[in-house]
Amino acid sequence: MERSYEKYFRQNRLPHLWCPGCGNGIVMKAIVQAIEKEGLNQDNTVIVSGIGCSSRASGYMDFDTLHTAHGRAIPFATGVKLANPELNVIVITGDGDCTAIGGNHFIHGCRRNVDLTVVLFDNNIYGMTGGQASPMTPTGKKATTAPYGSVDRPFNACDLAGAAGATYVARSTAFHVKHLTDMISGGIRNKGFSFIEAVVQCPTAYGRKNKMGSPADMLAWMRDNAVMKAAWDKMPEEQKTSEKFPIGVFLDSSYEDYGNAYEGLIQRIGGKKS
Ligand code: SF4
């Protein structure tokens, strides 16, 4: 029996290269479910990714896709969107790709409010290159470059996106699939820079280093520690331990998107409409 989402995948590129139990496939499927839910035209939707385990998703997805350079997915996507504003542009990136190598592109994409939907697969580590600590590795957690535990404070990428100017900011996890799909749907509907952090299990690099057990144990950890935003807001501070984190929509606002602002400038100086 054909499932409705199968048409969104390049069947001849399967099987995928992700490790058994990796959560990247869950997030990839949530993206196509959100695309279907929002009724996006497959031929009018572009997927742009950077470099890393999660960024390999663009190769499996049957859209016009760009698998770009490390940290550069957002500038490539900005170019695509400005060249053809009719396209729906979705960016797939990882925590290293987006907040380290691509950190400046990320904050300036938010600042400009470019009309993109950016989904950050947050596995807390550089998986593909051997388990180095990323800017989103929690303090105290181990990585190949932090064998005694990271002393760095991690970025809260949602706070960073909101502070930098993104107009839609949300977080969910690979455990909360329906919720994750809804968060991505909200980002697709927003006209402006939408940022969705998807917490995802990496049993091979992060889980093994930090003795988090099987992929199922890592999903159970998400179930037990993610707190819906409404409950989080009422939670006593002493219960907000370092393991607990909120999920939901943190910001849903409006501001003129970059493409409109740029087109307006062209009109004001007497240029031709593109
Ligand atoms: Fe997934 Fe981690 Fe394996 Fe990469 S290293 S494919 S993120 S489990």
Side-chain angles (χ1 to χ4, degrees):
M1 187 178 78
E2 191 191 351
R3 297 183 184 90
S4 64
Y5 57 81
E6 285 183 351
K7 66 177 186 244
Y8 296 112
F9 294 108
R10 295 173 177 144
Q11 304 288 335
N12 61 353
R13 297 295 302 274
L14 299 173
H16 59 72
L17 55 61
W18 293 317
C19 306
C22 175
N24 287 342
I26 299 174
V27 183
M28 179 173 71
K29 188 180 163 208
I31 293 171
V32 301
Q33 286 181 304
I35 287 171
E36 180 156 276
K37 190 172 152 200
E38 295 308 315
L40 301 191
N41 182 330
Q42 196 167 353
D43 295 329
N44 224 23
T45 300
V46 181
I47 311 288
V48 185
S49 66
I51 294 292
C53 292
S54 54
S55 287
R56 296 300 291 259
S58 60
Y60 305 125
M61 300 172 78
D62 198 7
F63 298 84
D64 284 324
T65 58
L66 284 169
H67 188 190
T68 70
H70 209 178
R72 314 300 180 216
I74 289 172
F76 273 85
T78 300
V80 170
K81 185 69 187 178
L82 291 185
N84 187 349
E86 300 305 314
L87 296 174
N88 311 298
V89 185
I90 296 174
V91 174
I92 288 176
T93 180
D95 43 301
D97 189 63
C98 186
T99 65
I101 302 96
N104 257 324
H105 296 305
F106 173 43
I107 58 173
H108 292 289
C110 294
R111 178 174 69 86
R112 290 173 171 147
N113 197 32
V114 187
D115 187 19
L116 306 173
T117 302
V118 177
V119 182
L120 186 157
F121 293 48
D122 176 19
N123 65 3
N124 302 118
I125 206 159
Y126 283 89
M128 180 168 278
T129 50
Q132 297 90 343
S134 86
M136 293 180 73
T137 301
T139 308
K141 294 295 184 186
K142 293 181 178 168
T144 52
T145 50
Y148 305 107
S150 174
V151 294
D152 293 14
R153 279 188 302 173
F155 272 138
N156 180 326
C158 289
D159 285 354
L160 181 60
T167 43
Y168 177 91
V169 178
R171 180 189 290 124
S172 192
T173 85
F175 177 81
H176 303 82
V177 179
K178 167 81 170 55
H179 181 262
L180 173 60
T181 304
D182 290 345
M183 296 299 100
I184 298 169
S185 282
I188 290 171
R189 287 194 301 273
N190 178 52
K191 178 94 173 127
F193 196 100
S194 302
F195 176 75
I196 302 98
E197 177 188 340
V199 178
V200 65
Q201 78 274 16
C202 165
T204 302
Y206 186 71
R208 195 155 55 185
K209 270 266 172 239
N210 289 287
K211 300 194 174 8
M212 294 185 76
S214 68
D217 292 330
M218 295 184 79
L219 285 164
W221 179 89
M222 294 175 206
R223 177 197 63 202
D224 296 341
N225 287 291
V227 180
M228 292 294 169
K229 185 180 178 302
W232 177 268
D233 290 343
K234 293 185 199 138
M235 218 169 143
E237 286 304 312
E238 62 273 16
Q239 288 179 18
K240 294 178 181 173
T241 62
S242 59
E243 299 279 285
K244 299 275 182 201
F245 60 95
I247 59 173
V249 177
F250 303 119
L251 181 64
D252 192 358
S253 60
S254 65
Y255 187 82
E256 185 177 36
D257 75 277
Y258 193 66
N260 263 357
Y262 208 87
E263 197 62 50
L265 171 67
I266 292 169
Q267 295 304 310
R268 283 200 302 281
I269 61 175
K272 289 202 174 91
K273 189 164 174 60
S274 60

